[in-house]
Structure formats: C-alpha cells, structure tokens
Amino acid sequence: MVVTGSELVRGDRRDANGPFLATELSGRGLQPARILLVGDRPNELAAALAEGIEADFCLVSGGLGPTHDDRTVETLATVAGRALTLDKELEREIE
C-alpha cells in the first residue's frame, strides 16, 4: 500500500488509513506486504508508485484532493506510461 500525504511524513497527522485498509484487506484474504508512507514531493511519490505498480496489487490512499500538492493521479499516469483522459459527463456530475 502507498499512503500519501506530507502531513503524515511530518508527523502532523497520524496515518489511520494504512492500518485500517490493511485490516480490511486481511479480512478479505489479501496479505499486504507493507505500508509505504510518502510525502507529496513528486520524485518521492513517483518512486513509491513505481515500486507499487510492480506488486501484484497496489492500493493507494491519499493525494486525491483538490489542493495543488495532490498529484497522485498525474504521477501514477506518468509512472505507468499512460495518458490521462477527462470524462466530461462525470465532470458535469461532480460539478
């Protein structure tokens, strides 16, 4: 699992998502190998996601908000060599 957020790495906030998700996955027969906490710096996030996509299953928590430092989606696309596309209908629903 990759849990993102500079506030977690700085110690401003305790990671509750990682342990919760690990418990949920374990209860469904999946055994997480590790929980990787990473800040919002693009190079550190890219390294963590690159490692994650090599696994059989990678769960990402965090970094999906509306602030300027939430770059998980863009970074994952870059690491995976994929282009992002915008779903206009979904965008209208969200607005």
Side-chain angles (χ1 to χ4, degrees):
M1 285 187 289
V2 177
V3 180
T4 70
S6 293
E7 68 279 5
L8 301 171
V9 177
R10 284 191 310 262
D12 295 343
R13 189 171 296 166
R14 186 172 82 65
D15 172 34
N17 286 349
F20 170 78
L21 292 169
T23 299
E24 292 295 311
L25 289 172
S26 294
R28 288 165 174 74
L30 298 169
Q31 290 298 324
R34 67 190 215 148
I35 299 171
L36 181 60
L37 289 177
V38 64
D40 295 315
R41 290 184 182 161
N43 60 334
E44 294 168 2
L45 181 56
L49 293 171
E51 183 179 332
I53 63 173
E54 293 300 318
D56 292 332
F57 178 79
C58 179
L59 178 67
V60 180
S61 175
L64 300 173
T67 60
H68 73 284
D69 60 343
D70 289 333
R71 298 282 181 219
T72 303
V73 173
E74 293 93 342
T75 305
L76 181 57
T78 299
V79 167
R82 299 294 191 116
L84 291 176
T85 59
L86 179 64
D87 183 323
K88 293 286 190 180
E89 184 177 322
L90 181 58
E91 182 182 41
R92 281 190 297 276
E93 284 182 42
I94 291 170
E95 288 177 353

